[in-house]
Amino acid sequence: MKKKFKIDKLLTYIKMTIPNLPTDNLYKFGFVFSIIVFIFFIYYHNKKVEYFQKMDLELKFKELDLDLKYSRLTEDFLYVAESFKSNRDSEMGDVLSKKFEELDNSKLKADSTLVLYNEKVGQFNVQKEEFENTQCLYYIAIGVSLFFSIICGLLWYCKSQKFEDRITKLRYLEMKQKLQQ
């Protein structure tokens, strides 16, 4: 009996000391927070799309540059090889032999650069594919945050702001009436 009385007294005390929740502030908070989340997801998604477009363009330019260098190197290599065949015994043969070795080293470097480039392209394509697979999640997050901002905004307006607007309008009309008298 005493425990029940203490619990009832405690509940009565809690009800008296805890004020009603200010729901208009919760609606405002929900509205502002969902707008911030909405803007964040749009910004983040656009930055990701921009990054992948920029990287795609840079990789294409790098590929064109590497192809151009590789084709020039191959042409030089073939020219020196043909010249070396016809001038093997002369002094020019020694010069061509050194040039041939230089081009061979350059070709090996170009081959390793091409391998590294292909690895980078592969990693980029994996990242791009992962982003494309998760892109629908960004759209869902954008939609949900937009939905919540609309709902919270409507609740905020209908439950509290509309009445505050009416009160402000009535005060304005009263002041206007007093000034006219």
Side-chain angles (χ1 to χ4, degrees):
M1 208 49 150
K2 286 187 179 185
K3 281 189 177 181
K4 187 173 182 179
F5 178 71
K6 286 182 180 180
I7 292 174
D8 287 340
K9 205 172 191 182
L10 180 64
L11 288 175
T12 305
Y13 177 75
I14 290 174
K15 286 179 186 177
M16 289 174 39
T17 57
I18 295 179
N20 291 337
L21 291 174
T23 55
D24 65 325
N25 290 338
L26 290 176
Y27 296 138
K28 282 184 209 177
F29 174 76
F31 177 70
V32 171
F33 181 73
S34 58
I35 289 290
I36 290 170
V37 170
F38 174 74
I39 292 170
F40 170 76
F41 277 116
I42 286 178
Y43 175 78
Y44 188 72
H45 179 263
N46 286 342
K47 279 296 184 185
K48 281 282 210 182
V49 168
E50 190 178 294
Y51 165 77
F52 283 112
Q53 288 174 346
K54 179 182 170 190
M55 284 299 294
D56 197 31
L57 192 61
E58 284 181 13
L59 288 175
K60 285 180 183 177
F61 280 131
K62 181 76 172 171
E63 181 179 6
L64 289 173
D65 185 45
L66 286 174
D67 285 344
L68 184 63
K69 286 180 182 177
Y70 199 78
S71 65
R72 284 183 188 162
L73 191 60
T74 304
E75 288 175 8
D76 289 348
F77 190 77
L78 291 175
Y79 176 74
V80 169
E82 286 294 320
S83 299
F84 183 69
K85 284 180 186 176
S86 61
N87 295 320
R88 215 177 256 194
D89 297 330
S90 67
E91 289 180 19
M92 188 66 158
D94 292 336
V95 172
L96 289 174
S97 175
K98 289 179 184 176
K99 184 69 174 169
F100 186 74
E101 287 177 19
E102 288 175 15
L103 287 172
D104 193 35
N105 288 337
S106 297
K107 192 167 191 247
L108 288 173
K109 287 178 185 177
D111 287 338
S112 64
T113 304
L114 192 61
V115 167
L116 291 173
Y117 169 78
N118 288 333
E119 287 176 8
K120 187 175 181 179
V121 167
Q123 291 171 352
F124 173 73
N125 287 336
V126 167
Q127 288 177 346
K128 190 174 181 181
E129 187 176 321
E130 288 174 358
F131 173 71
E132 288 172 355
N133 291 338
T134 60
Q135 205 167 10
C136 66
L137 295 175
Y138 287 108
Y139 294 136
I140 290 170
I142 289 169
V144 167
S145 61
L146 181 62
F147 174 75
F148 276 114
S149 67
I150 290 170
I151 295 299
C152 289
L154 287 173
L155 286 171
W156 173 39
Y157 180 75
C158 292
K159 297 237 180 200
S160 64
Q161 191 63 40
K162 182 167 51 172
F163 301 113
E164 289 179 24
D165 290 346
R166 285 183 189 164
I167 291 169
T168 306
K169 187 175 180 179
L170 287 173
R171 285 183 184 163
Y172 169 75
L173 292 174
E174 286 175 6
M175 295 287 278
K176 187 176 178 182
Q177 217 172 34
K178 285 181 183 180
L179 288 174
Q180 287 178 354
Q181 291 176 358

